[in-house]
Amino acid sequence: MNAIRHDFRSDTVTKPSAGMRAAMAAAEVGDDVFGDDPTVNRLEQRIAGMLGKDAALFVPSGTMSNLLALMSHCGRGDEYIAGQKAHLYVNEAGGAAVLGSIQPQPIGHQADGTMALADIEAAIKPDDAHYARTRVICLENTFGGRVIPMDYMRAVADIARRHDLGLHLDGARAFNATTVLGMDIAAFTAPFDSVSICLSKGLGAPVGSVLIGRRNLIDTARRHRKMLGGGLRQSGLLAAAGLYALDNNVARLADDHRRARQLAEGLSRHAALTVTAPDTNILWVDAHADIAEAFDTYLAEQGIAVIGRYGQQRWVTHIDITDDDVSGALALVDRFFERR
C-alpha cells in the first residue's frame, strides 16, 4: 500500500490530541495494583457512576475486558451464549476457551444482527450432568455498526432473569449507540450485570477499556486481571486519557456518524457499489465482482485505507477523519469510475 492519506480502516487508529496528551502528562499517578493510582481510581469511579453500576475496572484492552467478564460470570466447564459473529466469540482468539476453560454456545444472527429470542432460550442447557452449565448471555451493541434496539435487549434480559443467568454487554462502541438513540448511558446499560466500554475506539484514547458491573463481579475480575498479566502500575497516565475522552469526545461522536452518512451517500452514486446505510460510524460496501479486485487495488494505490476482502469493504469514520477526508476520498472514488 502507498502512504495512507485517508485512513478508514478502524476507529482504533486514532492518535491522542494535544489536549489529551497534556492531560496524560499532567496525570497524578501511583501503583494501581496496590490501589494507589488516584487517576485510575477516579476513572473507575467516574464511569461506574455514569452507568449506575457498583464498580469498574480499568484494563488494557476490550479483549481482556470481555474475557474477564466471562471468567467472572463462569467457572471451568461452564458456558456462555453469544452470536455466531460476535466479537468475543470470533475475534478474541478463543481466549474464553483457552484461558478460562469456558465453552461457547454460538447462535446464528438474524438479518438485523440480533439472535432470535427463541434460539437463545432453546440454547440454555437443562440442569443435567451431560451438559455444560449455561451461566451468561452476551450481547454486542453496536453490532457491525448497527444499533440493536433497546426493546430487544430488555427481552433478552427477561430471558436471563427467568433462567437465573448473567447478562453481559460488549459495549465497545456503546456511546455510539446512545448517541443514535438519544439515551443516557445508564439507561442503555441498565439491563446488564456487566458492561465492557472501550476508550480507544470512537472516544480516541490510545489504550484501554473499562469493565463495569456488580461489586462482587468486579472484585473477581480484578483477581483474574492479575492472573492474566493485566495488573498495571502507574497507569494513571493512560487513565487520564480515558477521563479526557469522557469529558471531550462523547458528544462529538455525532460528527463521525454524519460523515459516515456522507460517505454512504457519495459511494451509493455508483451502481457497481452496494452500500449498507450506517446507523453509526461504520458502513459496509460491496463491490460488484467485475470491479472488486481493481477497486481494492485502486484505493490502496490512492492511499485510501479500508478493511476488506472478497469484494466487501468496511469503512469507519472517527475522530481523525475530517470533512476534507470524506470529500477527498469520494473524489478519488469518482475518478475511478470515470476512468472506467
Side-chain angles (χ1 to χ4, degrees):
M1 179 186 286
N2 293 354
I4 295 176
R5 298 164 60 187
H6 310 292
D7 197 345
F8 294 97
R9 287 174 298 170
S10 177
D11 42 12
T12 61
V13 303
T14 59
K15 308 294 195 301
S17 65
M20 183 177 285
R21 288 176 182 269
M24 295 170 71
E28 184 182 3
V29 298
D31 189 322
D32 181 48
V33 174
F34 292 144
D36 292 343
D37 192 301
T39 308
V40 172
N41 293 341
R42 190 159 63 250
L43 171 64
E44 292 174 347
Q45 292 162 6
R46 168 84 181 280
I47 199 162
M50 290 176 71
L51 271 64
K53 306 294 187 188
D54 295 340
L57 180 66
F58 181 55
V59 300
S61 70
T63 294
M64 181 177 284
S65 183
N66 281 330
L67 176 58
L68 291 174
L70 292 175
M71 292 177 69
S72 300
H73 281 286
C74 302
R76 292 170 60 87
D78 288 342
E79 174 184 271
Y80 72 93
I81 291 173
Q84 184 80 46
K85 296 180 180 179
H87 194 281
L88 58 72
Y89 173 63
V90 176
N91 298 111
E92 297 182 3
V98 175
L99 301 174
S101 296
I102 303 166
Q103 173 174 287
Q105 172 58 72
I107 294 176
H109 294 277
Q110 307 298 297
D112 63 356
T114 64
M115 300 173 281
L117 298 176
D119 289 348
I120 294 174
E121 195 137 21
I124 298 169
K125 304 299 185 291
D127 184 9
D128 185 310
H130 292 86
Y131 302 115
R133 293 172 297 185
T134 308
R135 292 299 195 193
V136 62
I137 303 170
C138 303
L139 298 182
E140 184 175 330
N141 203 353
T142 63
F143 181 80
R146 291 178 298 235
V147 177
I148 303 301
M150 278 303 305
D151 286 347
Y152 172 80
M153 297 203 304
R154 294 187 185 108
V156 176
D158 287 341
I159 293 173
R161 284 192 291 270
R162 280 193 280 106
H163 292 273
D164 195 26
L165 302 179
L167 186 64
H168 173 66
L169 177 65
D170 178 358
R173 297 181 177 91
F175 283 105
N176 291 91
T178 58
T179 298
V180 171
L181 296 172
M183 288 187 69
D184 176 76
I185 190 71
F188 179 76
T189 58
F192 295 89
D193 300 295
S194 58
V195 181
S196 176
I197 299 282
C198 187
L199 302 170
S200 62
K201 292 189 171 72
L203 297 185
V207 174
S209 286
V210 187
L211 179 65
I212 309 102
R214 299 192 313 268
R215 173 69 64 182
N216 62 338
L217 188 145
I218 297 301
D219 288 345
T220 301
R222 190 176 297 276
R223 183 176 184 82
H224 288 315
R225 184 186 70 170
K226 182 64 176 176
M227 292 179 191
L228 296 174
L232 302 175
R233 298 299 180 176
Q234 287 72 36
S235 49
L237 296 172
L238 301 174
L243 285 166
Y244 182 93
L246 293 174
D247 288 336
N248 296 277
N249 293 344
V250 174
R252 60 147 309 281
L253 290 172
D255 293 332
D256 295 342
H257 301 171
R258 171 180 58 81
R259 291 182 179 117
R261 290 192 298 271
Q262 290 173 341
L263 267 176
E265 291 166 4
L267 294 168
S268 295
R269 292 195 296 260
H270 304 289
L273 301 178
T274 300
V275 183
T276 303
D279 284 349
T280 58
N281 64 321
I282 299 174
L283 61 147
W284 299 89
V285 180
D286 290 285
H288 192 278
D290 293 344
I291 63 129
E293 184 175 353
F295 188 50
D296 286 347
T297 300
Y298 173 81
L299 293 181
E301 291 173 346
Q302 299 302 316
I304 300 175
V306 299
I307 289 178
R309 61 178 180 172
Y310 309 130
Q312 184 178 67
Q313 301 167 345
R314 189 186 79 159
W315 296 59
V316 183
T317 54
H318 49 77
I319 196 169
D320 289 343
I321 289 291
T322 66
D323 290 334
D324 287 342
D325 285 307
V326 172
S327 59
L330 289 175
L332 289 168
V333 171
D334 290 344
R335 189 179 305 168
F336 171 83
F337 286 101
E338 288 165 3
R339 291 176 178 176
R340 300 183 70 85

